[in-house]
Every structure is written in structure tokens, then in C-alpha cells.
Amino acid sequence: MKAWIPLLLRFCLLVLLIAFLTNPLWFEPLLKPLTQNGAPAIYNQGSLLSLALLHLRTVAIATVAAMVVAVALAILVTRPVGAEFLPLSRSLVNIGQTFPPVAVLALAVPAVGFGEKPTLIALFLYGLLPIFENTLTGLTTTPANIVEAARGAGMTGWQRLLKVELPLSVPVILAGIRLSVVISLATATIGSTVAAKTLGEVIIAGLQSNNLAFVLQGGLIVAALAVLIYDALSALERMAARRMGQVAQAA
């Protein structure tokens, strides 16, 4: 029975999130005490649902781009032809973690203008490191006996990579993607400082008008999205790990 409690809590959180995004006025009595001088309790300068979807779209685009580049770099440096580029690759993927996101936005705006583009650049740079390091770990810790069995079966280097090494590394790669997504969900809120359409608009509007209700609802929506997506990716990771474990035992 206890095993169902976390699942039930996540389901309740999902239902509450959907209800709040689609019918936020239902929750006005709960947020009204946080306002002052008759200020609105529910964000009224745009649709919360639209902002949430745009926020997720921005995170998804940046994560996919980071995943493609990070996985490609990890594959390159784990092949004999690219092993010497490992230090350089590590330096490149660490750039995003070195600069604060606000600094990245400040540097990107003069080059690409205001809006979603500088936010995508910042999220892309921030998402590289966890995906790269996890992919690198997954590829370098593939059981040697399985790789040797694939080589003995006559597989080429690319066939071993695509049919053995990458599939066995999926759980570890998913862990990196999960971390990257959670980082991006939080970081994307600052994109609204450069006119990107994210949930940061709600938080910034609350800070500018001293409206705690706006700040709280913007923060809670981002937090709820982060928890639900984190749990969903964790479930996928566990499923992949079980499947790969069965494959490894069979081999």
C-alpha cells in the first residue's frame, strides 16, 4: 500500500497543476491574502497555460540541441580517432557552467537580439555538461565482455556503437538529460529579463509590483513542472536500466 503513496501524490500534483493552469481563478481565495491594496491575486497580464507551454518549448529545444552536441562529442572522444580531444571537449562543455546565466544573456543579446534566442543559447550551454559527462561515463563503462562478444560476432565499430554501446548507456545518458532538464526549467525563468516568453514573466511582474501572490504562483508552477518531469524521466531511466540489465545477463 505504501508503494502507491508517492504515485498518488504525483498524480494529485499533476491534477492541481492542470487545474491551476486552466482555471487559475479557482485558486484566487488561497492567494488573495498574499496581495496588498486590492492587487490581483492571479496573474492577469497573460495566460498562465500559454506561458507554461512556451516555457516548456524553450527548455525542450535547448535540451535537444544540447543532447545532440553533447552525445556527439562524447562519442567522438571515446573513439581512438578523437581520444586526444577529450580535454578540449571537457573545457568546451564547462563553459556554460563557468559563466552565470545572466552574463550569458548579456553577451548573447547584442549578437542575436532580445527574445527567445539568447535564452536558448544560455540553456544550451548550461545543459551540455551533465549530458556529456554521463554519456562519457556510459560509453567508457560498457562491460568489456559484451563489447568483445560483439566484435567476435563480426560487428564493425559503428555497429558496436549503435547496437551495443549506446543502448547499454541509455540509463546513464537519461540521468544526464534529467539533470539538464531540471537545470534548464529553473534557469529559463531569467529569460523573461530579455523579453523571452517564460514563466519568469509572472515572477518578474510580482517583484516589480511587490505582489507576493504572483511570485509564489510563478515559482510553484516551475517547481511542479520540475518535479513531474524529473519523476517521469527517473521512471524511464529505471525502465531502461532494468531492460539493459536483462540484456547484459543474457549476453
Side-chain angles (χ1 to χ4, degrees), residues 127-153:
L128 285 173
L129 181 61
I131 301 176
F132 173 81
E133 289 294 346
N134 278 53
T135 305
L136 188 64
T137 299
L139 292 174
T140 54
T141 58
T142 303
N145 61 323
I146 296 179
V147 177
E148 287 301 320
R151 183 180 288 108

Side-chain angles (χ1 to χ4, degrees), residues 77-148:
V77 300
T78 54
R79 305 303 101 181
V81 69
E84 61 183 294
F85 295 105
L86 177 57
L88 175 61
S89 298
R90 275 213 164 102
S91 298
L92 290 174
V93 299
N94 272 290
I95 290 176
Q97 301 292 333
T98 303
F99 289 96
V102 175
V104 176
L105 289 175
L107 293 171
V109 166
V112 299
F114 288 89
E116 187 181 33
K117 291 180 180 179
T119 307
L120 288 173
I121 293 173
L123 297 185
F124 167 76
L125 292 175
Y126 261 66
L128 285 173
L129 181 61
I131 301 176
F132 173 81
E133 289 294 346
N134 278 53
T135 305
L136 188 64
T137 299
L139 292 174
T140 54
T141 58
T142 303
N145 61 323
I146 296 179
V147 177
E148 287 301 320

Side-chain angles (χ1 to χ4, degrees), residues 43 51 61 63 65 101 105 123 152 162 165-166 169 176 188 199 214 222:
Y43 183 71
L51 287 175
I61 294 172
T63 301
L105 289 175
L123 297 185
L162 297 176
E165 295 179 61
L166 279 176
S169 302
L199 289 164
F214 283 8
V222 173

Side-chain angles (χ1 to χ4, degrees), residues 51-247:
L51 287 175
L53 292 176
L54 290 171
H55 190 104
L56 289 173
R57 186 192 72 173
T58 300
V59 170
I61 294 172
T63 301
V64 169
M67 183 173 61
V68 170
V69 173
V71 171
L73 276 176
I75 291 173
L76 173 64
V77 300
T78 54
R79 305 303 101 181
V81 69
E84 61 183 294
F85 295 105
L86 177 57
L88 175 61
S89 298
R90 275 213 164 102
S91 298
L92 290 174
V93 299
N94 272 290
I95 290 176
Q97 301 292 333
T98 303
F99 289 96
V102 175
V104 176
L105 289 175
L107 293 171
V109 166
V112 299
F114 288 89
E116 187 181 33
K117 291 180 180 179
T119 307
L120 288 173
I121 293 173
L123 297 185
F124 167 76
L125 292 175
Y126 261 66
L128 285 173
L129 181 61
I131 301 176
F132 173 81
E133 289 294 346
N134 278 53
T135 305
L136 188 64
T137 299
L139 292 174
T140 54
T141 58
T142 303
N145 61 323
I146 296 179
V147 177
E148 287 301 320
R151 183 180 288 108
M155 287 187 179
T156 64
W158 279 108
Q159 287 175 329
R160 291 195 301 272
L161 172 66
L162 297 176
K163 296 182 179 181
V164 178
E165 295 179 61
L166 279 176
L168 289 175
S169 302
V170 165
V172 184
I173 296 173
L174 281 175
I177 294 172
R178 169 166 49 87
L179 179 58
S180 178
V181 169
V182 172
I183 292 173
S184 294
L185 279 168
T187 307
T189 55
I190 67 168
S192 293
T193 60
V194 291
K197 288 289 184 180
T198 72
L199 289 164
E201 281 192 11
V202 186
I203 298 172
I204 292 172
L207 293 173
Q208 290 177 337
S209 61
N210 196 27
N211 190 332
L212 184 58
F214 283 8
V215 176
L216 183 64
Q217 64 195 267
L220 287 178
I221 293 172
V222 173
L225 289 172
V227 169
L228 292 171
I229 293 174
Y230 181 93
D231 285 344
L233 291 175
S234 294
L236 284 176
E237 184 185 335
R238 289 192 296 270
M239 290 172 57
R242 284 196 297 268
R243 185 171 179 180
M244 292 305 107
Q246 293 170 357
V247 171

